[in-house]
């Protein structure tokens, strides 16, 4: 989902949403407190309706017909759940290797290769028009929505209206609510009951409404920009996003490299650009030891070195196209997932070649489902074995780690706890 907006794409962890010092979990109560005499049983609905009525005029200034606004938002009730999610502090942290193991697993590589074949003609036309190669476009599609399969389940209108009237980012979400209404008003979108992530990202590309408004293209020529049901529109819009973000046709995103012990890691980081020749002079080499400068990596091309887990883990030389990918979601982990998945789709074997600095690697989605099945067999009430590692699964893992004497008992879904559970019968 582009542009650092909060998201809840269940295929990947939400990027950190900045948390204000003030506790806002009670936002709806605070809303109710604005009422002259709140009824004891009031859940904030009345204040919510008042807030929506107050948005008619600003919406009109944003080009939304007042009658359309009223009829589309009539009968909406606030959703307190999205306010909790807005302020949720992650109870557990996800190491980079876990994040990548789930996003760039064999299943997604296989599905991506099928997508490349199935949509080969479309992807060629997209490349001709926007200059972005098929593997990159398909990699974004796979990471954003698992190729259109997972697009979010919360009604967008209700979420955006709630976040526009309560919580700590109301001006931002009002802009998104108005953008969503404009998409409905213009006929690009036809279903006001559309669902998406709790924060408003939706469709196959998981664009926020304002990004959709700005970037989406009608590539199948039916007169509507439909990133929900049209693969043509969705993939072309992804390419258009990358092009607008400064994509350079024909350039690689980067390569995995080997750093010399002498390299000061203070020189690393996506923003610390220097010509490829400078990195070569500093001793950075390709994994096979060859010189850095070569086709795609000409001496004068600006590049940065990233070492996301420090000196002991994989390192990469990244170029301008990595920044374009990064801008889609403003997270290093996300950009790496896209870049590595795209390489796999171009035929590369498992990546990165250099192991992550851990003796307890991450799990693919198939392994996560297996782990959940083992937890269910031990009586943990974690719901469906869907491969999504949520709070319930992590709490169950903590219990099993303690029972098995595994340290640390941190709730992490890694290879070690999976192996231990495979090897011990359910009680
Ligand atoms: Ca269309």
């Amino acid at each position: 989902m582009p542009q650092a907006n909060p998201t809840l794409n269940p295929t990947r962890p939400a990027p950190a949403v900045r948390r204000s010092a003030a506790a806002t979990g009670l936002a709806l109560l605070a809303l109710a407190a604005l009422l002259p005499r709140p009824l004891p049983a009031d859940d904030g609905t009345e204040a919510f309706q008042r807030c929506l009525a107050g948005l008619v005029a600003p919406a009109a200034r944003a080009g939304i017909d007042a009658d359309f606004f009223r009829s589309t938002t009539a009968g909406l009730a606030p959703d307190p759940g999205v306010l909790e999610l807005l302020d949720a502090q992650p109870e557990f942290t996800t190491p980079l290797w876990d994040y990548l193991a789930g996003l760039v697993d064999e299943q997604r590589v296989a599905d991506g290769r099928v997508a490349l074949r199935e949509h080969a003609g479309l992807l060629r036309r997209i490349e001709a028009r926007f200059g972005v190669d098929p593997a990159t476009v398909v990699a974004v599609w796979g990471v954003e929505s698992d190729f259109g399969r997972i697009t979010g389940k919360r009604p967008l209108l209700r979420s955006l209206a709630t976040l526009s009237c309560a919580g700590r980012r109301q001006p931002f979400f009002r802009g998104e609510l108005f953008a969503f209404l404009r998409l409905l008003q213009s006929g690009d979108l036809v279903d006001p009951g559309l669902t998406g992530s709790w924060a408003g990202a939706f469709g196959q590309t998981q664009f926020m409404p304002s990004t959709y408004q700005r970037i989406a293209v009608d590539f199948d020529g039916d007169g509507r920009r439909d990133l929900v049901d049209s693969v043509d529109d969705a993939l072309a819009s992804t390419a258009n996003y990358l092009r607008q973000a400064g994509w350079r046709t024909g350039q690689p995103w980067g390569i995995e490299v080997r750093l010399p012990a002498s390299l000061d890691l203070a020189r690393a980081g996506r923003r610390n650009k220097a010509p490829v020749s400078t990195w070569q002079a500093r001793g950075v080499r390709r994994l096979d030891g060859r010189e850095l400068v070569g086709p795609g990596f000409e001496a004068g091309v600006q590049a940065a070195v990233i070492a996301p887990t420090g000196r002991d883990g994989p390192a990469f030389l990244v170029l301008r196209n990595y920044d374009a990918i990064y801008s889609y979601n403003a997270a290093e982990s996300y950009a790496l997932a896209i870049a590595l998945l795209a390489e796999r789709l171009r035929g590369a074997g498992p990546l990165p070649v250099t192991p992550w600095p851990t003796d307890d690697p991450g799990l693919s989605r198939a392994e996560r489902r297996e782990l959940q099945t083992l937890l269910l067999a031990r009586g943990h009430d974690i719901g469906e074995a869907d491969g999504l590692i949520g709070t319930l699964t992590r709490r169950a893992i903590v219990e099993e780690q303690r029972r098995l004497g595994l340290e640390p008992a941190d709730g992490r879904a890694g290879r070690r706890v999976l192996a231990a559970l495979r090897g011990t019968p359910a009680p």
Side-chain angles (χ1 to χ4, degrees):
M1 177 206 58
Q3 298 289 40
N5 295 321
T7 183
L8 191 68
N9 181 338
T11 62
R12 60 191 163 78
V17 177
R18 266 173 227 91
R19 189 176 167 85
S20 69
T24 49
L26 300 174
L28 277 183
L29 287 179
L31 246 187
L34 296 175
L35 294 171
R37 240 173 273 164
L39 300 170
D42 183 35
D43 61 355
T45 302
E46 193 182 330
F48 179 67
Q49 292 306 331
R50 188 173 305 177
C51 168
L52 286 182
L55 291 181
V56 173
R61 286 194 291 276
I64 297 152
D65 177 77
D67 287 338
F68 180 78
F69 184 96
R70 286 196 197 91
S71 63
T72 309
T73 58
L76 269 188
D79 177 2
V82 297
L83 295 171
E84 286 167 23
L85 288 163
L86 182 66
D87 284 316
Q89 287 275 41
E91 191 179 335
F92 300 94
T93 56
T94 304
L96 180 58
W97 45 87
D98 282 349
Y99 177 86
L100 291 171
L103 279 179
V104 191
D105 61 13
E106 295 306 320
Q107 185 189 339
R108 207 176 312 266
V109 172
D111 289 347
R113 286 179 181 156
V114 169
L116 280 177
R117 281 198 299 277
E118 201 171 306
H119 302 288
L122 168 67
L123 290 162
R124 266 196 302 277
R125 283 183 284 122
I126 287 173
E127 182 170 27
R129 167 125 163 236
F130 300 100
V132 184
D133 64 287
T136 300
V137 171
V138 167
V140 173
W141 191 29
V143 168
E144 286 295 338
S145 67
D146 198 21
F147 312 101
R149 291 187 195 103
I150 298 177
T151 56
K153 290 180 181 167
R154 280 184 187 261
L156 283 171
L157 195 58
R158 188 179 180 204
S159 300
L160 291 173
T162 303
L163 293 163
S164 294
C165 286
R168 60 198 162 71
R169 295 190 70 193
Q170 294 175 39
F172 168 77
F173 284 111
R174 283 175 189 191
E176 297 300 331
L177 173 66
F178 295 167
F180 182 61
L181 288 167
R182 277 203 302 277
L183 291 167
L184 288 168
Q185 186 175 262
S186 68
D188 280 329
L189 299 173
V190 289
D191 178 10
L194 266 178
T195 61
S197 81
W198 66 266
F202 68 104
Q204 312 216 12
T205 57
Q206 293 287 289
F207 281 3
M208 290 295 285
S210 60
T211 307
Y212 195 123
Q213 186 76 38
R214 195 165 49 85
I215 297 287
V217 293
D218 170 25
F219 203 64
D220 60 14
D222 71 347
R224 290 175 51 218
R225 302 183 298 165
D226 180 2
L227 309 190
V228 177
D229 292 321
S230 166
V231 171
D232 293 41
D233 290 4
L235 298 189
S237 298
T238 292
N240 189 37
Y241 185 93
L242 292 170
R243 186 179 68 158
Q244 306 277 345
W247 188 266
R248 292 189 184 157
T249 302
Q251 267 199 10
W253 63 270
I255 42 166
E256 189 178 347
V257 291
R258 189 194 295 171
L259 304 182
S262 60
L263 185 78
D264 180 358
L265 278 194
R267 292 191 191 277
R270 199 175 53 86
R271 293 174 193 281
N272 294 331
K273 297 276 199 295
V276 172
S277 55
T278 300
W279 292 112
Q280 174 155 313
R282 288 171 181 165
V284 177
R285 292 291 179 270
R286 291 167 192 259
L287 281 186
D288 60 9
R290 281 188 300 137
E291 297 208 331
L292 214 45
V293 176
F297 299 88
E298 286 75 17
V301 170
Q302 290 289 309
V305 158
I306 58 168
T309 56
R311 192 173 289 285
D312 294 335
F316 307 89
L317 183 87
V318 296
L319 311 184
R320 183 68 190 83
N321 285 349
Y322 182 83
D323 294 331
I325 297 169
Y326 180 93
S327 77
Y328 212 99
N329 208 13
E332 207 77 74
S333 49
Y334 175 87
L336 264 183
I338 303 286
L340 297 179
L341 180 57
E343 284 304 312
R344 293 294 315 269
L345 296 180
R346 291 183 194 108
L351 293 171
V353 173
T354 308
W356 296 109
T358 176
D359 57 0
D360 187 13
L363 302 180
S364 69
R365 286 171 294 164
E367 289 165 329
R368 289 173 191 189
R369 288 191 294 273
E370 182 190 351
L371 174 63
Q372 287 175 319
T373 303
L374 291 165
L375 292 169
L376 284 166
R378 280 158 179 74
H380 295 284
D381 186 15
I382 59 167
E384 201 187 334
D386 55 8
L388 304 175
I389 305 298
T391 304
L392 290 177
T393 299
R394 289 182 183 257
R395 286 184 185 150
I397 293 171
V398 169
E399 283 182 39
E400 289 300 323
Q401 285 171 324
R402 288 193 180 130
R403 201 177 59 76
L404 295 159
L406 294 176
E407 294 282 346
D410 57 0
R412 208 188 127 240
R415 196 159 299 277
R416 198 183 292 148
V417 70
L418 174 62
L421 289 175
R422 275 173 178 163
T424 53

